[in-house]
Structures are given as C-alpha cells and as structure tokens.
C-alpha cells in the first residue's frame, strides 16, 4: 500500500509538471484614449496577472477564470513590457508584450485653449473646461454634468481623450465631441451614427474621420467615448 501511495504521488507530480498552461488567444487593443490593453484567454484557470512597464512600475491586471486583461498607459514611444501570469495549478508564464507608440493629437495647451473656446460657443450649458496647464500623465481633468473627462499627456502632447457618463446631462459629452470634430476637421455623419448605434445596442462601435479614431462602448451602465490620432 505504501508503494502504491508513493507511485500515485509521483504520477500526480509528473502530470502537473508535464502540463502546459498557455495562452490560447490574445490581442493588443489601442483604441482607448488613455491605455493600451492586452487581453486574452488561456487553457487553464488564472490566479493573477501583472504587467511591468519599462520604468519598472508593476500593474495588477484583471482575471476571470481563464480570461485576463492588463493595461499600461499609452506612450508616444514604443514600450516593451513584461506580463507574468500565475495559474491556479502553479504554473507561471512570462511573456514580453510590445505596445507600438501612439501619435500626438496636438500640443496640450493649444488643445485646451481651442476646446474651451468651442465648447462654450457650441453649448452655453456645457461646463467641461480643460485646464490650460496640466502635468504629464493620465488625469481626470473634469467632472461636469455627469461626464468625466480623462486625458493622457506626454512631453506636453495630448495622446488621447476618454469621456464617460451614466447619463449625459445637457448634452455635455455630445458637445465635447462636436467641439473636437470642429477644431480638428473631423466632422462626419459616421461619428454620430457610431455614437447613436452604441447608445441603442450597447455594443462597441468605431469610426475614423479626419485622421482620428472615435470609439464608443459600454461597460455596465457607463458609456465611454475615446478619441485617438490614427
């Protein structure tokens, strides 16, 4: 009996040692105005996932069974990151993920001045204002009429804009979008159609116009609008 137990124990360890936890599907998402995302699925349940940026910052990702998602703030330079996945079976997987550089929308100060002017001209009830002086990094710069405005700035350049709301009071989000399209010559009915389609279906929709990508999506009851330079 003792030999059988040892044999079974050895067999168990051998099977675990020979099992191969791996990623079965994955993709990089760069349509968000603030972050780059790396998401996918594995063949085994995941316990945790972390991403280490080039400057050594460790960011915890999200896990749901075999699915995972992690993120890193978008940059104007290519970024090499290290993703470490810890599986429930004890396996550890390390993977190097390279995020391609983003493009600048505009000098942030110029962007802020123009946006503030046009927002007030388009809708006197809209209250969002972009501070003309803002530090590099990702920041929430406004919360007005139930619309949260996030920006991502690097070296004084704005990389992306992210808007979110659970109920757009006084057409605040629509006004910000209209101001941007007017300033950067990206007016197109397709942007409005994508926006309305997401409102109706709660599915993600994107549209390119004037060299910019507009993406609309839902997460729970939150509606998001992201703008990046293509």
């Amino acid at each position: 009996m003792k030999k059988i137990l040892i044999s079974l124990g050895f067999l168990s360890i051998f099977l675990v040692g020979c099992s191969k936890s791996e990623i079965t599907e994955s993709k990089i998402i760069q349509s968000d105005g603030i972050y780059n995302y790396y998401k996918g699925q594995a063949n085994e349940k995941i316990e945790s996932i972390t991403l280490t940026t080039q400057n050594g910052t460790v960011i915890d990702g999200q896990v749901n069974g075999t699915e995972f998602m992690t993120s890193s703030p978008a940059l104007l330079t290519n970024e090499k990151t290290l993703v470490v996945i810890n599986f429930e079976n004890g396996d550890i997987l390390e993977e190097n993920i390279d995020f391609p550089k983003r493009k600048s929308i505009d000098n942030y100060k110029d962007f802020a001045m123009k946006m503030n002017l046009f927002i007030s001209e388009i809708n006197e009830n809209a209250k969002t204002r972009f501070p003309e002086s803002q530090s590099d990094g990702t920041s929430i710069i406004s919360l007005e009429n139930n619309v949260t405005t996030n920006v991502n700035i690097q070296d004084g350049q704005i990389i992306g804009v992210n808007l979110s709301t659970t109920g757009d009071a006084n057409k605040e989000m629509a006004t910000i979008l209209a101001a941007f399209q007017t300033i950067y010559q990206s007016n197109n009915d397709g942007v409005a159609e994508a926006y309305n389609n997401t409102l109706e279906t709660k599915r993600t929709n994107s549209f390119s116009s004037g060299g910019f990508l507009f993406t609309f999506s839902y997460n729970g009851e939150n509606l998001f609008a992201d703008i990046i330079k293509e």
Side-chain angles (χ1 to χ4, degrees):
M1 180 64 69
K2 187 175 182 179
K3 290 183 179 179
I4 294 175
L5 286 172
I6 293 174
S7 176
L8 288 174
F10 176 78
L11 178 61
S12 175
I13 294 171
F14 178 79
L15 289 175
V16 171
C18 287
S19 66
K20 187 177 181 181
S21 299
E22 58 186 7
I23 296 172
T24 54
E25 57 181 270
S26 64
K27 61 181 177 180
I28 291 174
I29 301 172
Q30 291 192 291
S31 57
D32 186 89
I34 309 300
Y35 296 98
N36 292 317
Y37 287 93
Y38 176 62
K39 65 183 299 184
Q41 189 163 357
N43 63 340
E44 299 286 346
K45 286 188 176 181
I46 300 170
E47 183 176 287
S48 65
I49 180 171
T50 60
L51 179 147
T52 303
T53 65
Q54 284 184 164
N55 63 12
T57 301
V58 179
I59 302 171
D60 291 327
Q62 300 175 18
V63 171
N64 182 16
T66 60
E67 298 178 344
F68 65 86
M69 182 174 70
T70 187
S71 63
S72 177
L75 301 176
L76 293 172
T77 55
N78 295 326
E79 183 180 27
K80 295 182 180 296
T81 68
L82 174 66
V83 172
V84 178
I85 299 177
N86 290 279
F87 291 90
E88 290 187 1
N89 63 13
D91 288 352
I92 299 175
L93 177 65
E94 295 186 356
E95 189 173 20
N96 293 309
I97 302 298
D98 296 341
F99 292 116
K101 62 183 179 181
R102 299 285 192 94
K103 295 180 180 179
S104 166
I105 291 175
D106 199 349
N107 172 274
Y108 174 76
K109 185 174 182 179
D110 293 342
F111 167 86
M113 292 175 62
K114 289 181 283 190
M115 286 293 291
N116 292 341
L117 175 63
F118 276 84
I119 287 171
S120 61
E121 287 187 353
I122 292 172
N123 181 1
E124 63 181 10
N125 294 317
K127 298 179 180 180
T128 295
R129 297 294 184 269
F130 291 82
E132 293 185 11
S133 178
Q134 184 67 33
S135 301
D136 283 356
T138 62
S139 306
I140 297 175
I141 56 92
S142 177
L143 177 51
E144 298 288 354
N145 282 329
N146 205 34
V147 174
T148 302
T149 302
N150 296 269
V151 295
N152 183 1
I153 304 169
Q154 183 186 2
D155 297 333
Q157 303 292 310
I158 182 162
I159 300 173
V161 180
N162 168 274
L163 310 172
S164 63
T165 183
T166 54
D168 188 359
N170 292 322
K171 299 183 178 180
E172 189 83 13
M173 179 182 283
T175 299
I176 298 169
L177 293 168
F180 184 96
Q181 291 177 79
T182 301
I183 295 166
Y184 295 100
Q185 301 178 352
S186 52
N187 282 309
N188 193 301
D189 290 341
V191 177
E193 290 175 5
Y195 175 79
N196 291 327
N197 194 355
T198 296
L199 285 178
E200 294 173 5
T201 66
K202 291 198 172 184
R203 294 180 179 177
T204 300
N205 288 275
S206 297
F207 191 85
S208 297
S209 179
F212 298 93
L213 179 66
F214 298 81
T215 301
F216 306 101
S217 61
Y218 265 95
N219 185 356
E221 295 302 313
N222 288 284
L223 169 65
F224 292 88
D226 290 276
I227 307 172
I228 63 170
K229 176 72 173 176
E230 291 189 298

